[in-house]
Every structure is written in C-alpha cells, then in structure tokens.
Amino acid sequence: MEGTGDLLNKKRKLENSDEIVDKCPPVLKNFKDFNINKVIAENPRCKTATIHGQIAGEDAVVLLEKTAFDASHLGNYLSELTTLNNTLKNDIYGTYDAFPPLIENAIRATVIHPATEKHIKKYTDQPCYVVHETPELYTNITLPLIISKQFSIQWVYNILGKKKEADRIVFEDPDPEQGFVLLPDMKWDCKDTRSLYLVAIVHKHEVKSLRDLTADSLPLLNNILHKGLDAIKERFGVPSSQVHVYLHYQPSYYHLHVHFAHVQCEAPGMGADRAHMLIDVIDNIQIASNFYQRKTLTFTVREEDDLYKKYKDSGYFDKS
Ligand code: G7M
C-alpha cells in the first residue's frame, strides 16, 4: 500500500508533467456537440442550472449562470436596442419581457470535460447531513479517505507550475515554505469587484487542510493574510475591511488554499458549517498550537460524497 510520502512524490511528478496538460480538450466554440443527458441541479435564486451531458462521447458537466448587470452598460439596456413585449399593464404599472442586445445578454458557462463520476456527483443536487468530526473520527474515517482519494488536483499543479492561468495571477510569493499564488477563483468573472472572489494556493504540498495547521503554520498563514489583502487592495482597490478571508472545512481539494471574497459577495460555502475565518484560525492556533488537532469540527456532507458513505458505513448516522 502507498504511504503519504509516495502519494506526495507522485503529485510532484504530476506538477512537472507537460503530458497531462497537453491532454486538455480543445476550447469550445459552441455547444453543437454537447448532448444533454439530465439537469442535475437548479437554483432559481442564484439563477443557475447545471447539466450533465456528453461531448464527443465523454461525460461533461456544464454550469450555466446568469451574470450580474454591469452598471456602466445600463444605457445599452435602457435604449431602443432593447425590444419590449408587454406582459401586464394596469394603470401606472407595467411589466415587460425585455430582450436586450446580444452583447449584453451573455450567460456564464463553466464546462468540465471530460468529467469524472465524482464531478457529476459533486455538481448534483442531493440531501445533506451534518457531521461533528472529533479528532478520533478524523483519524479513523476522514484521513484514510483523504489519503486514498484519487480526486485529481491537476488544475492546482498547473497553476503552481504556471502551465495554466499564469496570466491571471494577481500576486505570487515564490517562497517554497511560506509562499502562495493568488488568483481569481474560477467562479469569479472579474467584472465587478462587489463579487470579488480569489483563491490563494500555497506552494507547500504537505498541508492538506485546516486539520494539519499548527503553530508551525503561522508564518505561512500570516503571510497569506497580509500579502493577499495588500495585493487585493492594490489591484482591485478593495480595502481589507471589505474582504472575508477564510478556509473551507471540508475543502473540495486537499492542498491548502484560502478564499478571499468581497463581504457583499454571496460566495458559496460561507456558512458556519464550512467557512473558518483565517484571522480566527490564526488566533485559535496562537491560543493552542494543536487547536485544530483537538477540536471537533462540524461540516455538512452530501449523500453522494464518499465521506458521507464512509460515515454512514461506520454507523455514525445510526445514532441520530
Ligand atoms: O475550499 P474549496 O475546496 O471548496 O475551494 C476550491 C475552490 O477552487 C473553489 O472555489 C473553486 O471554484 C476553485 N477552483 C476549482 N477549479 C477546478 C479551479 C480552476 O481550475 N481554476 C481556478 N482559478 N479556481 C478553481
């Protein structure tokens, strides 16, 4: 059986491998070759729909999202370029279906192709369950799963190795111990700073999540907090008082990363069952170096998550 060291060596080799990057499918020009299989998630409030289908016989997941209004373009909407179909008129009140010019009508599409079974599950709406993870449960259930997990984080290595998204990097500290790369999260279209959402990915490989952080991590965490906020202020003009800086537990990828989101942005995973403010994390570790090795951490799992299945098989949910 492979140990953690072997797995890390394998990951390092992947980071330096051009072969895998070149296997990326080509950029799409349209959805002509996308065959719809099923709508796997819908959120009317966020105005998103997620569709599972196939492209060239391979599974694909497409996330469609209506984009926010760009205030500087409102003149284009409110002009003769927008066709109006009246749907209601009562005294001074009127409603219309409005068809603005094509250029203002773009929706954002995120395409994952080829998508694995795990991607399809991850993006599918499903029931959720709460886990209170004690240190013992972490050691006996969560950690073995993380170590055996084959979920590819090639995209992380592509970013750290400057093979992908290099032109999007907002800031980098190249130090192998305390350094990180800060860049816009895939979910942010970089148009409106009120929905600012960036991610800092650490250069160091060994830190999987919040659970691994100790007093030794403080220089790294302080570095990310201060240099990340400075870079955001300089590039986007958003002061640190308007940025939430936090880690997810559980994260979706076990290579330490920190989220930076505008306070007005309803970023996913901001709930008390997932977001841990970096400033609080630093403070907790300063109080006790082994705080995150001792703490019971609460999170939500979804029915199709491997973690849910592991906890279910252990009988954890039988008690609730
Ligand atoms: O903490 P958690 O593991 O949930 O966050 C991972 C974050 O990485 C999410 O907010 C994703 O949107 C973001 N992300 C995922 N991928 C695959 C990419 C990517 O390829 N590029 C960028 N810039 N962000 C990504």
Side-chain angles (χ1 to χ4, degrees):
M1 194 184 134
E2 280 178 312
T4 316
D6 294 332
L7 286 167
L8 289 173
N9 283 337
K10 209 186 246 178
K11 283 179 182 175
R12 277 201 193 98
K13 275 191 207 139
L14 282 173
E15 184 176 356
N16 296 321
S17 152
D18 285 326
E19 199 192 322
I20 290 172
V21 177
D22 290 339
K23 280 187 189 156
C24 266
V27 169
L28 298 176
K29 295 262 190 296
N30 55 51
F31 282 117
K32 176 168 68 75
D33 298 323
F34 181 72
N35 293 313
I36 298 177
N37 184 12
K38 192 177 171 198
V39 176
I40 54 176
E42 267 181 291
N43 187 330
R45 196 176 60 83
C46 300
K47 300 187 175 53
T48 58
T50 313
I51 301 100
H52 168 220
Q54 275 86 29
I55 299 175
E58 287 174 319
D59 280 318
V61 171
V62 175
L63 170 65
L64 299 177
E65 186 180 4
K66 299 240 183 189
T67 48
F69 286 101
D70 178 344
S72 65
H73 287 198
L74 285 180
N76 280 351
Y77 289 94
L78 302 173
S79 75
E80 77 281 7
L81 297 173
T82 295
T83 308
L84 295 177
N85 285 351
N86 181 244
T87 49
L88 181 142
K89 185 76 184 124
N90 184 350
D91 190 31
I92 60 168
Y93 304 99
T95 63
Y96 299 85
D97 283 332
F99 300 94
L102 262 187
I103 188 76
E104 303 297 355
N105 228 350
I107 55 172
R108 189 170 151 80
T110 305
V111 179
I112 303 172
H113 168 239
T116 63
E117 193 61 31
K118 284 182 178 154
H119 287 114
I120 298 165
K121 282 181 191 165
K122 176 177 163 175
Y123 285 92
T124 302
D125 274 341
Q126 51 199 278
C128 296
Y129 302 86
V130 179
V131 172
H132 302 289
E133 184 196 68
T134 60
E136 294 71 33
L137 287 170
Y138 175 71
T139 307
N140 297 330
I141 300 182
T142 309
L143 183 61
L145 181 71
I146 296 170
I147 291 174
S148 68
K149 225 173 164 177
Q150 296 299 306
F151 204 95
S152 165
I153 47 173
Q154 186 57 42
W155 67 272
V156 168
Y157 302 134
N158 288 345
I159 289 170
L160 295 177
K162 313 285 161 47
K163 288 171 184 149
K164 293 284 170 183
E165 304 191 51
D167 53 335
R168 284 161 43 86
I169 293 176
V170 170
F171 176 82
E172 177 175 17
D173 177 341
D175 187 278
E177 286 299 309
Q178 293 168 28
F180 64 97
V181 169
L182 178 72
L183 79 167
D185 190 284
M186 189 171 80
K187 295 194 185 89
W188 185 37
D189 60 11
C190 298
K191 286 192 180 143
D192 188 335
T193 53
R194 282 166 308 176
S195 48
L196 174 139
Y197 190 28
L198 294 100
V199 62
I201 304 173
V202 305
H203 276 298
K204 203 177 159 121
H205 280 237
E206 296 77 20
V207 196
K208 293 182 286 305
S209 76
L210 190 61
R211 275 278 184 218
D212 287 342
L213 300 177
T214 63
D216 290 345
S217 324
L218 287 173
L220 169 69
L221 300 178
N222 278 308
N223 202 37
I224 295 174
L225 180 65
H226 299 297
K227 290 189 182 158
L229 286 172
D230 285 352
I232 285 173
K233 180 153 191 228
E234 196 181 316
R235 173 69 70 89
F236 303 105
V238 178
S240 58
S241 55
Q242 290 191 303
V243 183
H244 282 312
V245 188
Y246 56 96
L247 294 97
H248 278 159
Y249 194 80
Q250 298 283 336
S252 14
Y253 304 98
Y254 292 90
H255 176 113
L256 194 76
H257 51 278
V258 175
H259 300 270
F260 290 76
H262 195 285
V263 284
Q264 274 173 267
C265 156
E266 286 179 27
M270 275 301 294
D273 61 346
R274 195 149 185 225
H276 296 256
M277 294 296 149
L278 181 56
I279 195 86
D280 295 333
V281 170
I282 291 172
D283 200 40
N284 289 336
I285 296 174
Q286 276 167 347
I287 293 169
S289 172
N290 60 357
F291 185 91
Y292 287 103
Q293 290 78 57
R294 283 169 47 199
K295 171 120 181 69
T296 293
L297 292 169
T298 297
F299 55 82
T300 305
V301 279
R302 300 174 345 133
E303 205 163 69
E304 289 294 338
D305 291 345
D306 291 338
L307 205 49
Y308 168 76
K309 289 177 186 155
K310 284 269 176 198
Y311 273 87
K312 187 170 188 301
D313 292 347
S314 77
Y316 177 81
F317 294 110
D318 298 346
K319 294 161 224 145
S320 59

